[in-house]
Every structure is written in C-alpha cells, then in structure tokens.
C-alpha cells in the first residue's frame, strides 16, 4: 500500500474517531444530538466520505500503474473484477454528452470511467477524441447482477454474458465465413507468407540434387481507424438498467461490424481505408460481359475454378454476395430455361451454391459499374475466408456528439476502432464484380 493511501486512511480514522466521540457522548447521556453536535457530526461524516473517494481513486491509480510497469497491452489496465463490474458505458456516454454541453462536474458520477480512459491515454501516449474504453471492459463477460444491498431489488442476471469483442466478432459476416481475427495487437504486424516453393529434382545414383529454396515475403497490418455512429435518445441514456447497457454495447458493435465487413470486401486501400478483397491484386477474376451480365451457372463454377487452379481450394471455402444476387439466383435455372433446378438450391440451406456455403450481406456492393451498367452491378466472392486476416488493436475510442440530434432529443455516439485488413494469399479468392440482378 502506498504512503499516500496510508496517510489518507490515517486522516480518515481521526475524523471518524471524532464523529464517534460526539455520537457516543449523546448516547451515554441518553439524549439526541444537539444542533451544534449534529452539524459537526454531519460535517465530519462528509469529510470521511471525501477521504474514502480519494482512497479508492489512489487504489485504482496504483492498480493501473502496476499493470503499466508490467509492459502489457497498453489498452489492458489490469482492472479488478469489481472495477470491471462497476464500469458503465452508458454512464460514460452520458457524462461525455454533459461535458460537451459545458456542464460542470459532468464526470463526477463517472469517475471510474474517466480515470480508466486517462490511464489508457497515458499508456498510449495520445489523447482520445472522446474517451477510451479499456480492453478489460471490452473483454468482460458473465457479469451477473444480484440483489441490491439497499432495498433488496433484484434485476435480471446474465445480461452481459457476451464481451464487446465477442459481440463484434459474431456480428461480422466475414468472421462468420471464417476470417481470421487477431485482437490485442501492439504496433505494426508482419505475417510471413510463402510465395514460392522449393523445387524437387530427379537425380542419378550418387548424384546431388540442385539446391533450391522457398521464397517468402510478409503481409503487413498497420493500425487504421474505422469510425461508425449510432444515435440514442437522451431518455434512454438516463436509464441505469443493465438491459440498456447491453443494448448500447450491442448497437455499437453492430455499426462497427458493418463498417469492417464493407472494408474487408470493398476497401480501396486509399484514403486511410484497408485494402479489401475486391481491390487486392492477384485475386481470381470472373467477368460477366462488357456491360455486366446476369449471373449464370458457368460464373458460379468459374469462381470455384479460379481458386482451384491455384491449388487454393482448401480451408473455409464459401461464397459471399448480397440479397439481390440471392434473389436473382433463386429465379435463374442452372442450365436450360426449362431446368427446374435453380442456381441457389433452396433445398440445401447449409450448402446452397455449387455445394458450398453461401453468406449474404448487403455490405457486398450492388452499386458497382461495368461499361454502360452504371452503379447497378453486384459482386459475388468465393474463396478460403481463413486467408482474410483482420487485425484489431483494441483501442475503442467513444466520441459523443450532443448537438447533431439536439432538436430531436438524441445523442450521437461515434465509435472509433483501430484495425486493419489484409488478404494473406490473393490466390485464395476470386470475384465477379459485374453481376446484374435486374
């Protein structure tokens, strides 16, 4: 225990001793406290409460400092179980909104959340745009709420069974398809990649084989910031229910997941965007026509073939497209116009397209251009989704904007996350980017 905490406890003890003396004197004389005694007693108890808050603050700061000295993830503070349980995202959002409107002592009721953000900022060496949410809180799970100590009120249990990170993973369609997600990263990441194999030779008896070597390069991941927002009503944020806490967390993870899905599929690699599958050089390409073309059975098979001829048809193989293409494929015969079998096999939910799983998300673009078909073409992807790598640095920065929706009584909450996306092997994917659905 630090000298500072010991001194605070000593002063608190002296104050409580004086308060106890006043109370005991009146008790021994079997009378109520006189007005002056009651005033002094309340004053002393108020001071003791203030010392208690200072002690708790020092203990939290000491815990954060200790985890920093251990050289751990700067976003992971080593918060105790009680601190993680006490942390409230909605309380922090409410405090940030009040602070933005100039309210004094806006963070008074969110001291833990403010100190956690400040600790992350110190360890990272940069200030948040709003407030940081430490990894300890993002990873929390199984936070059960039991009977309240004052009043015995019972609220629902297991309302926060999923961590923020787990929720985010589950909502990403590319993750459902099998994308590899790396979390808790620090600094730039380089993943080795074999680009060429060694060569085998046939040799005569007693002959020596010719020396050959594999060729290797690296796939790099560098933090890029994705931002997504959602609007909450002020009345909702005033609630302290754990249901509301879970709802807010789920909504934030949903908007971030949609942004990550879009970047993983169509990120341009420019303007601070990651490079998505469609923009990755070297992936297989299946073209419909000069001005696009309705998807046909040949296109679906050709996507598979484009991956297979590069010996990459292994792992988490699946198609991914949007709802428009799925609707078109359900109405398009496989071969002849009289064929009763459609491209999309509605009898096989698990493997509806060419014997493979097929994922549907409207983050797959339906506004691509090919020739005169302007902003009406859709994409269809096929590949080994385990070779899509998503790196996450865990820096969740929450920016609260109380002004944009002020007239309608809403608060805009912007979630900023550091992440990057890379395709480990371009040969693992193929895409048709000119599928017409109308």
């Amino acid at each position: 225990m630090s000298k500072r905490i010991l001194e605070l406890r000593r002063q608190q003890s002296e104050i409580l001793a004086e308060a106890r003396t006043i109370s005991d004197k009146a008790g021994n004389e079997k009378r109520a406290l006189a007005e002056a005694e009651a005033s002094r007693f309340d004053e002393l108890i108020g001071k003791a409460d203030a010392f208690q808050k200072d002690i708790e603050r020092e203990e939290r700061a000491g815990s954060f400092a200790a985890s920093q000295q251990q050289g751990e993830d700067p976003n992971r503070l080593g918060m105790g179980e009680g601190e993680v349980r006490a942390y409230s995202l909605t309380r922090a959002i409410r405090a940030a909104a009040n602070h933005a409107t100039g309210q004094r002592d806006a963070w008074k009721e969110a001291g833990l959340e403010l100190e956690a953000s400040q600790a992350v900022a110190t360890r990272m060496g940069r200030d948040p745009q709003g407030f940081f949410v430490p990894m300890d809180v993002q990873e929390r799970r199984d936070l059960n709420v039991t009977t309240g100590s004052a009043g015995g009120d019972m609220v629902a249990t297991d309302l926060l069974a999923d961590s923020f990170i787990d929720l985010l993973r589950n909502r990403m369609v590319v993750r459902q398809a099998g994308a590899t997600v790396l979390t808790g990263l620090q600094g730039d990441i380089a993943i080795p990649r074999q680009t060429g194999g060694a060569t085998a030779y046939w040799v005569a008896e007693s002959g020596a084989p010719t020396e050959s070597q594999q060729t290797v390069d690296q796939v790099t991941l560098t933090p890029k910031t994705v931002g997504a927002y959602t609007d909450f009503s002020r009345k909702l944020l005033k609630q302290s229910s754990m249901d509301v806490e879970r709802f807010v967390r789920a909504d934030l993870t949903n908007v971030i997941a949609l942004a990550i899905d879009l970047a993983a599929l169509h990120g341009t690699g420019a303007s601070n965007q990651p490079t998505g599958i469609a923009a990755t050089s070297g992936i297989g390409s299946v073209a419909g026509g000069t001005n696009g073309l309705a998807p046909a059975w040949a296109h679906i098979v050709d996507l598979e073939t484009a991956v297979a001829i590069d010996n990459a048809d292994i792992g988490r193989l699946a198609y991914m497209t949007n709802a428009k293409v799925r609707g078109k494929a359900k109405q398009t015969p496989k071969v002849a116009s009289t064929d009763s079998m459609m491209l999309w096999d509605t009898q096989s939910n698990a493997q509806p397209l060419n014997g493979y799983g097929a994922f549907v998300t409207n983050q797959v673009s339906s506004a691509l251009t090919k020739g005169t078909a302007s902003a009406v073409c859709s994409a269809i992807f096929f590949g080994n989704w385990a070779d899509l790598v998503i790196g996450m640095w865990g820096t969740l920065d929450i920016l609260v904007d109380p002004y944009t929706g002020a007239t309608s009584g809403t608060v805009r909450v912007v979630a900023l996350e550091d992440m990057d996306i890379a395709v480990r092997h371009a040969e693992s994917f193929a895409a048709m980017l000119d599928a017409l659905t109308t």
Side-chain angles (χ1 to χ4, degrees), residues 401-434:
D401 171 14
Y403 301 108
T404 301
T407 56
S408 57
T410 61
V411 173
R412 175 156 296 178
V413 179
V414 182
L416 305 169
E417 181 88 31
D418 285 351
M419 52 83 63
D420 197 10
I421 297 167
V423 173
R424 190 171 187 186
H425 298 287
E427 299 83 1
S428 294
F429 290 94
M432 177 181 182
L433 302 177
D434 62 349

Side-chain angles (χ1 to χ4, degrees), residues 97-107:
N98 292 335
H99 177 75
T101 57
Q103 179 175 320
R104 297 182 60 185
D105 300 327
W107 286 93

Side-chain angles (χ1 to χ4, degrees), residues 13-34:
S13 296
E14 290 179 354
I15 290 173
L16 289 173
E18 182 181 347
R20 193 175 300 110
T21 298
I22 295 174
S23 178
D24 289 346
K25 181 181 178 182
N28 292 335
E29 296 175 0
K30 297 181 179 180
R31 60 177 177 81
L33 293 178

Side-chain angles (χ1 to χ4, degrees), residues 204-276:
E205 185 177 358
S206 300
T210 303
E211 179 182 0
S212 66
Q213 294 181 339
Q214 299 172 335
T215 56
V216 178
D217 68 357
Q218 294 179 332
V219 178
T220 59
L221 295 172
T222 303
K224 298 175 178 64
T225 302
V226 57
Y229 71 84
T230 186
D231 294 332
F232 300 109
S233 72
R234 290 182 177 274
K235 288 184 178 180
L236 179 70
L237 293 176
K238 287 181 180 180
Q239 304 298 317
S240 57
S241 165
M242 297 299 284
D243 282 319
V244 173
E245 178 80 9
R246 187 180 188 186
F247 172 79
V248 170
R249 290 170 61 210
D251 210 27
L252 287 175
T253 55
N254 188 52
V255 294
I256 295 177
L258 288 174
I260 293 176
D261 276 341
L262 181 60
L265 298 166
H266 296 289
T268 64
S271 303
N272 302 315
Q273 294 183 32
T275 301

Side-chain angles (χ1 to χ4, degrees), residues 118-130:
Q118 291 172 338
V120 173
T122 298
R123 298 181 68 176
M124 295 185 62
R126 65 182 176 91
D127 293 328
Q129 295 192 46

